[in-house]
Amino acid sequence: MPHTSAIPAGAELRVLHTFQLAPAELAEIRVLMDEAFEGDFSDEDFDHGLGGVHVLVNGSDGGLVAHGSVIMRRVSHGGRWYRVGYVEALGVTAPLQRRGLGGRVMAALEQVIERAYDFGALSASPEGAGLYRSRGWWPWPGRIEGIGPEGAVPFPDEEGSTYVWGTLPAREGTLGFDWRDGDVL
C-alpha cells in the first residue's frame, strides 16, 4: 500500500496537553494503545505517556485513529543535564497503519520538541524504527543508562534502539536517562 501523508477525509488533528484531555479521551487513548501494540502496552507504559503534549487524530466518525505524546525527560550527557522531549505512546489503529498517520503525528511532535526541548529521544521497536529513520532520527551509537537511586544502571538492551533527533553537542558517549517506574526507557 503506498504511503501518504494525508489525514483521512474528515479527520481532525489536535494538539493538547494532558490536563486538557477528558477522562473519556484518556480511556480512548488507552484502548488505541492496546490495539496498536496488540496487548503489549502496560499501565506503566500508558502512565509514561502522560504529563506532556498529545497529538490526536480523530477520524470522520469522531473516533481516535492515531496518537502520540511527548513528555519531558532529564538526560545526562557530556557532563551536563538536558531537557529532552521524549516520544511516548505513538500508535495508529490497525486498519490505518502504514498510511502516513504516524508520520503526521511525528511531524506535530517534532514541532513541540524543536520549540520546547534541547533535543528529542525515543525507544524504537523494530517495526517503528523505519518511520523514525525516515524522519531524520538516528540510533544513539553510545551507551545508554538510567540514573537511579543507586546511581547509574547500564541498559545494553536499549543500545541500538534508542533514537535521538535534533542538535547534540557530540554524537558519542553515554546518555543517562532519569529514572522512572516500569521501563526506564
Side-chain angles (χ1 to χ4, degrees), residues 10 48 50 74 78 84-85 104 125 141 143 154 180 184:
H48 292 168
L50 302 177
R74 299 293 288 173
V84 173
R104 288 297 298 265
S125 67
R143 291 189 51 177
R180 61 186 184 178
V184 174

Side-chain angles (χ1 to χ4, degrees), residues 1-9 92-105 131:
M1 199 166 283
H3 292 264
T4 175
S5 62
I7 295 175
V92 176
T93 188
L96 296 176
Q97 290 176 357
R98 308 278 184 236
R99 294 188 183 190
L101 282 175
R104 288 297 298 265
V105 171
L131 168 65

Side-chain angles (χ1 to χ4, degrees), residues 3 14 33 41 59 81 92 99 101 104 137 142 144 160 165 180:
H3 292 264
R14 300 179 300 141
M33 292 301 102
F41 197 82
W81 286 91
V92 176
R99 294 188 183 190
L101 282 175
R104 288 297 298 265
W137 291 71
I144 301 294
W165 182 81
R180 61 186 184 178

Side-chain angles (χ1 to χ4, degrees), residues 7-164:
I7 295 175
E12 173 190 16
L13 186 141
R14 300 179 300 141
V15 179
L16 301 165
H17 192 277
T18 301
F19 86 90
Q20 296 172 297
L21 297 170
E25 290 173 304
L26 290 169
E28 193 174 18
I29 293 167
R30 182 68 173 108
V31 168
L32 174 65
M33 292 301 102
D34 282 337
E35 177 191 337
F37 287 87
E38 299 176 345
D40 190 23
F41 197 82
S42 72
D43 289 340
E44 288 170 333
D45 292 333
F46 182 68
D47 188 59
H48 292 168
L50 302 177
V53 175
H54 299 257
V55 174
L56 302 100
V57 179
N58 291 85
S60 58
D61 66 355
L64 186 66
V65 296
H67 171 271
S69 62
V70 61
I71 55 102
M72 191 186 91
R73 300 285 306 268
R74 299 293 288 173
V75 175
S76 172
H77 174 62
R80 78 167 270 215
W81 286 91
Y82 292 88
R83 189 180 64 256
V84 173
Y86 199 83
V87 174
E88 292 282 3
L90 178 66
V92 176
T93 188
L96 296 176
Q97 290 176 357
R98 308 278 184 236
R99 294 188 183 190
L101 282 175
R104 288 297 298 265
V105 171
M106 281 301 296
L109 295 173
E110 288 163 357
Q111 286 183 338
V112 173
I113 292 167
E114 188 172 57
R115 293 180 175 185
Y117 298 101
D118 295 316
F119 61 92
L122 57 82
S123 181
S125 67
E127 299 81 14
L131 168 65
Y132 306 124
R133 279 193 303 271
S134 74
R135 301 195 57 77
W137 291 71
W138 43 277
W140 183 253
R143 291 189 51 177
I144 301 294
E145 58 189 27
I147 310 297
E150 305 298 320
V153 176
F155 286 105
D157 291 347
E158 294 294 333
E159 294 170 8
S161 64
T162 299
Y163 281 65
V164 294

